[in-house]
Amino acid sequence: MELRVQQARAIVHEINTVLPQKINLMNKDGIIIASTDPERIHTFHGGAARVIRENLDELRIYRENEYPGTRPGTNFMLQVEGVPIGVLGITGSYESILPIANVIRKMTELLVHEQEYQRMQTHLQYQRHLFLQELLEHSETFLSKEQIERARLLDIDLSVPRRIVVADLDSPVSPERHNEVFSQLEMEAQRIDAACRAISTNQMIVFLTDIRPQEQLRSFAEKLFVYAKSHGIGLCLGLDSPAPDNTRLRQAFEQARKALYSCHRKGTVHIKGYDEINMELFADLIPLTAKREYVKKIFHGYTPLELADAVHTLECFFEHDGSITRTADALYIHKNTLQQHLRKIAARTGYDPRSLRSSAVFYVVLYFYQDIHLAGFPT
């Protein structure tokens, strides 16, 4: 383990905010890498070099330049878990610094230990992220006994089949805010399911959970949604379809993404499973230009505002299963006014929304219209 420059400077700053002593931190080569006196940084400290060379616990210096580059003070070996990492120097007479010397020494060692722990956790998190990313992209060929053992060392249990939940925020946020939300949701997910592991990728958050039954998986998603909402975070979540083993995780990830996309299309649905979607299975294969042409063909001659108004009316009409009464109530208009709107659409398009035969045409139009708007494509 090495005492790194940024680490040492952070420690000196931390200690100097609560204690007034002049201190230096030297690496194992005897070079001052952090100091309350900026002019001493990068200079050689002969006393520190001797402490390291002879494995001394403590070295007192009484005179200026008793060793090259030194001043009166005391130098202590710094160790973390019994391993020498550098030297702490405290300037001043031994008697004046003695009451506080061991406190500074222990503070320094504790801060180094804490920073090293955080560094290792960050590294572990990075390795876990890489592993999960590979797993989601190549699960069919990626999994082997060696990789399952690698997963175990990263605290990922792949001995049982996993399910996937994909979530994203209902409105764009900065990368910093996204990382903050990810950390919050990851902790909450692990509170619900201790075996759950999460990865943040392309503004999405992917949860791999060992919760298998569909009802329990939906409950898991609902708890995340409620937690997020209580913290002012809007979420949409997509669920995969059950798979027999973890070699299908790439397919499960795609399924959950399609379900998530369906949530965004609808706008009023925040949690959806892959088994609940229908047109999404093939509509994604149709180019946006073709979808736009189809909408223009059915609603030929409509201005964008007229089209938006007609789409809103039809969406509400189909959501209420063609009920004139309930649709009129939802739109806050009279039933006769609604009937006039529907007759006008029938006259202009040649397709009557109240006809079972024509309803399929409008259902496709509504689906394509939402896709066009989600993509920012002009109508």
Side-chain angles (χ1 to χ4, degrees):
M1 186 186 303
E2 294 285 341
L3 186 62
R4 296 181 301 279
V5 173
Q6 290 301 114
Q7 181 185 43
R9 290 178 181 175
I11 290 170
V12 167
H13 175 77
E14 187 81 16
I15 293 175
N16 199 230
T17 58
V18 292
L19 297 171
Q21 277 71 21
K22 294 180 179 180
I23 60 175
N24 305 303
L25 283 179
M26 285 73 77
N27 63 18
K28 289 192 286 188
D29 295 321
I31 303 299
I32 300 175
I33 58 175
S35 175
T36 52
D37 181 357
E39 291 184 1
R40 300 193 68 186
I41 294 175
H42 303 310
T43 62
F44 178 70
H45 192 289
R50 182 185 172 192
V51 168
I52 293 293
R53 184 175 62 252
E54 299 181 15
N55 197 29
L56 302 177
D57 184 65
E58 176 183 309
L59 176 66
R60 302 179 199 175
I61 298 176
Y62 298 96
R63 299 181 305 278
E64 191 92 8
N65 292 321
E66 185 173 336
Y67 296 89
T70 64
R71 295 176 185 176
T74 307
N75 300 277
F76 302 92
M77 173 78 80
L78 291 175
Q79 296 183 337
V80 174
E81 297 178 352
V83 178
I85 62 166
V87 178
L88 166 69
I90 306 176
T91 303
S93 67
Y94 186 74
E95 292 73 18
S96 66
I97 66 173
L98 184 60
I100 203 69
N102 279 328
V103 174
I104 296 176
R105 183 182 189 180
K106 288 301 176 187
M107 278 182 65
T108 304
E109 290 177 340
L110 284 171
L111 286 169
V112 171
H113 187 274
E114 180 183 348
Q115 290 181 352
E116 188 63 22
Y117 174 78
Q118 291 297 331
R119 187 189 69 80
M120 290 176 65
Q121 288 299 110
T122 301
H123 179 71
L124 177 63
Q125 187 74 8
Y126 176 70
Q127 292 297 322
R128 190 179 291 148
H129 176 92
L130 289 180
F131 180 88
L132 292 175
Q133 196 166 39
E134 288 182 83
L135 180 63
L136 292 176
E137 292 174 357
H138 311 290
S139 61
E140 299 92 338
T141 56
F142 178 69
L143 281 182
S144 62
K145 287 183 179 180
E146 290 77 12
Q147 295 294 8
I148 291 173
E149 175 60 18
R150 177 186 165 199
R152 187 188 66 78
L153 294 174
L154 293 171
D155 198 23
I156 304 170
D157 183 8
L158 291 178
S159 63
V160 294
R162 294 281 184 143
R163 296 288 304 273
I164 287 185
V165 174
V166 176
D168 69 1
L169 309 187
D170 59 8
S171 58
V173 296
S174 67
E176 293 77 14
R177 175 58 176 158
H178 180 83
N179 291 337
E180 180 186 339
V181 170
F182 170 72
S183 297
Q184 290 177 293
L185 291 176
E186 183 181 32
M187 286 190 291
E188 178 63 12
Q190 290 179 350
R191 188 191 66 79
I192 302 168
D193 169 24
C196 182
R197 294 294 175 263
I199 177 176
S200 175
T201 176
N202 296 328
Q203 287 290 308
M204 290 187 300
I205 301 171
V206 186
F207 302 95
L208 288 88
T209 172
D210 62 0
I211 296 174
R212 297 285 298 161
Q214 190 69 16
E215 288 185 7
Q216 292 181 27
L217 188 69
R218 179 170 285 275
S219 175
F220 171 81
E222 287 170 350
K223 288 175 182 176
L224 288 178
F225 176 78
V226 170
Y227 172 84
K229 189 175 181 181
S230 70
H231 287 74
I233 304 165
L235 277 189
C236 286
L237 301 104
L239 319 181
D240 71 351
S241 187
D245 56 55
N246 290 325
T247 62
R248 308 287 183 88
L249 282 176
R250 185 181 66 83
Q251 180 183 354
F253 177 48
E254 292 300 325
Q255 291 175 344
R257 282 207 302 185
K258 285 189 175 183
L260 175 67
Y261 181 67
S262 181
C263 287
H264 284 299
R265 286 190 63 264
K266 193 67 176 172
T268 56
V269 177
H270 298 285
I271 301 174
K272 205 167 196 179
Y274 179 75
D275 294 339
E276 300 172 58
I277 65 177
N278 41 58
M279 281 191 66
E280 287 91 339
L281 298 178
F282 63 85
D284 291 345
L285 303 175
I286 302 173
L288 281 171
T289 51
K291 293 175 182 178
R292 184 167 180 256
E293 284 305 310
Y294 185 81
V295 173
K296 285 173 63 178
K297 176 179 178 295
I298 302 301
F299 284 92
H300 180 70
Y302 274 69
T303 67
L305 287 177
E306 289 175 329
L307 176 57
D309 184 58
V311 165
H312 179 59
T313 299
L314 291 170
E315 280 180 332
C316 196
F317 183 63
F318 288 129
E319 281 178 3
H320 291 89
D321 295 323
S323 168
I324 295 296
T325 300
R326 287 188 289 132
T327 303
D329 289 342
L331 292 172
Y332 301 103
I333 60 177
H334 194 275
K335 289 187 292 185
N336 292 342
T337 305
L338 175 60
Q339 291 278 25
Q340 290 174 4
H341 286 339
L342 296 175
R343 283 196 291 267
K344 186 176 180 181
I345 291 172
R348 293 187 65 178
T349 64
Y351 299 95
D352 189 345
R354 296 163 297 181
S355 161
L356 184 61
R357 178 181 299 176
S358 298
S359 62
V361 172
F362 288 115
Y363 181 77
V364 172
V365 165
L366 295 179
Y367 188 94
F368 286 178
Y369 183 85
Q370 289 170 339
D371 274 0
I372 293 166
H373 270 263
L374 280 175
F377 217 82
T379 50

